[in-house]
């Protein structure tokens, strides 16, 4: 019975350990000033890992993510504001490094293009169907024309 309980406890421990989030940052990266460290954690959770691409650099174990975490902390220690740190990283890696992109003409076009194209398609279908409805219908063949067609088919 003890062996079953021990195995069950081990199994539950492994399940909970696997389900819990892993801390990607290393203890040597942590700043001594808790205020600066909190700002750093806030900033690194907003930046995308360029290797993993759907993870923040705060959650990523990639070497590039580690370098970016260190870079963010260095910039904060030098006295940069949060905005200045983000601007610096964006200037080096582009807007893609932001997990939540800034609102700009480019992002509006990117997200608005599918809606605009869908509306243009609906408008085109509407205009095409209206034009087709107003077009003159072809006249029915006269009896003489039908007779000529029957004669041509029979030959």
């Amino acid at each position: 019975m003890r062996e079953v309980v021990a195995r069950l406890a081990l199994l539950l421990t492994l399940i909970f350990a696997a389900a819990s989030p892993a801390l990607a940052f290393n203890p040597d990266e942590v700043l001594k000033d808790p205020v600066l460290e909190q700002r750093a954690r806030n900033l690194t959770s907003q930046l995308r890992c360029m290797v993993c691409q759907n993870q923040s650099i705060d959650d990523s174990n990639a070497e590039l993510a580690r370098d970016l975490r260190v870079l963010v902390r260095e910039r904060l220690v030098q006295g940069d504001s949060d905005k200045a740190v983000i601007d610096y990283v964006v200037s080096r890696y582009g807007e893609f490094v932001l997990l939540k992109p800034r609102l700009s003409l480019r992002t509006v076009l990117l997200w608005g293009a599918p809606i605009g194209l869908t509306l243009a398609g609906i408008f085109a279908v509407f205009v095409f169907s209206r034009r087709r409805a107003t077009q003159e219908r072809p006249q029915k063949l006269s009896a003489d024309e039908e007779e000529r067609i029957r004669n041509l088919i029979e030959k």
Side-chain angles (χ1 to χ4, degrees):
M1 181 67 172
R2 275 186 156 178
E3 187 176 315
V4 173
V5 171
R7 285 185 182 187
L8 185 61
L10 177 64
L11 179 64
L12 289 174
T13 303
L14 290 174
I15 289 172
F16 286 122
S20 66
L23 298 175
F25 66 93
N26 298 327
D28 63 334
E29 296 174 17
V30 178
L31 296 172
K32 290 182 174 117
D33 184 0
V35 174
L36 279 180
E37 179 59 28
Q38 184 58 41
R39 284 179 57 203
R41 293 295 303 274
N42 183 35
L43 291 174
T44 56
S45 67
Q46 296 175 34
L47 298 173
R48 178 188 320 269
C49 174
M50 303 304 279
V51 176
C52 308
Q53 294 194 0
N54 247 2
Q55 248 181 339
S56 70
I57 61 172
D58 200 32
D59 299 330
S60 175
N61 287 327
E63 198 59 38
L64 178 60
R66 182 193 179 290
D67 294 343
L68 284 173
R69 287 192 303 267
V70 170
L71 175 71
V72 166
R73 283 170 171 78
E74 286 174 357
R75 302 291 294 194
L76 288 175
V77 168
Q78 291 173 4
D80 286 359
S81 68
D82 293 358
K83 184 179 180 333
V85 172
I86 294 289
D87 289 343
Y88 178 77
V89 174
V90 167
S91 72
R92 294 184 74 192
Y93 294 97
E95 287 279 330
F96 184 71
V97 78
L98 297 175
L99 280 172
K100 293 181 182 174
R102 298 172 179 160
L103 184 64
S104 67
L105 179 61
R106 185 179 298 159
T107 55
V108 169
L109 288 175
L110 176 67
W111 289 96
I115 296 168
L117 291 174
T118 302
L119 291 175
I122 291 170
F123 179 74
V125 167
F126 177 75
V127 168
F128 178 73
S129 65
R130 297 280 295 182
R131 280 189 187 163
R132 190 160 191 197
T134 59
Q135 285 180 345
E136 190 176 307
R137 301 274 183 219
Q139 293 179 349
K140 203 169 187 180
L141 295 176
S142 68
D144 185 41
E145 291 171 330
E146 286 181 16
E147 182 65 34
R148 284 179 50 199
I149 290 175
R150 267 191 237 109
N151 288 339
L152 286 174
I153 293 175
E154 291 173 2
K155 287 184 184 181

